[in-house]
């Protein structure tokens, strides 16, 4: 179970850091208000559009990846153990 926690933590920190970098570049208009959650630029260009899409994908990857390794996989393993105990 420790390896699943480490994998989930690695996904959460790496994707979260990448999300924070892209959010800092593209959605921080000023340091007085709305850092990292401000509105995106209206015409970011081709690379900016790709970066904004990547920012959204990294956010969901961080959340769903961590939940997968911290919740879903341990529940499946416990279910398999319970099913094996039930058969014997």
């Amino acid at each position: 179970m420790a390896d699943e926690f480490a994998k989930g933590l690695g996904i959460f920190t790496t994707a979260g850091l990448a999300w924070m970098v892209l959010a800092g570049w593209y959605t921080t208009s000023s340091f007085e208000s709305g850092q990292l959650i401000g509105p995106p630029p209206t015409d970011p260009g081709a690379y900016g559009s790709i970066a904004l899409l990547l920012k959204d994908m990294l956010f969901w990857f961080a959340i769903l990846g961590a939940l997968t390794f911290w919740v879903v996989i341990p529940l499946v393993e416990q279910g398999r153990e319970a099913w094996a105990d039930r058969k014997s």
Side-chain angles (χ1 to χ4, degrees):
M1 288 300 194
D3 57 338
E4 281 90 4
F5 178 78
K7 290 174 188 175
L9 185 63
I11 287 173
F12 188 71
T13 56
T14 305
L17 177 63
W19 176 84
M20 285 177 34
V21 168
L22 290 174
W25 286 345
Y26 288 100
T27 58
T28 298
S29 57
S30 70
F31 290 108
E32 286 82 29
S33 65
Q35 292 183 13
L36 303 178
I37 57 170
T42 56
D43 187 24
Y47 291 120
S49 297
I50 293 169
L52 289 170
L53 178 66
L54 182 64
K55 179 183 77 94
D56 291 337
M57 289 171 53
L58 284 169
F59 175 78
W60 288 109
F61 178 66
I63 301 298
L64 296 176
L67 285 176
T68 298
F69 280 101
W70 290 344
V71 177
V72 174
I73 292 176
L75 283 176
V76 168
E77 291 296 322
Q78 285 183 353
R80 285 183 184 168
E81 289 174 6
W83 186 259
D85 290 343
R86 184 175 179 226
K87 283 187 174 182
S88 61

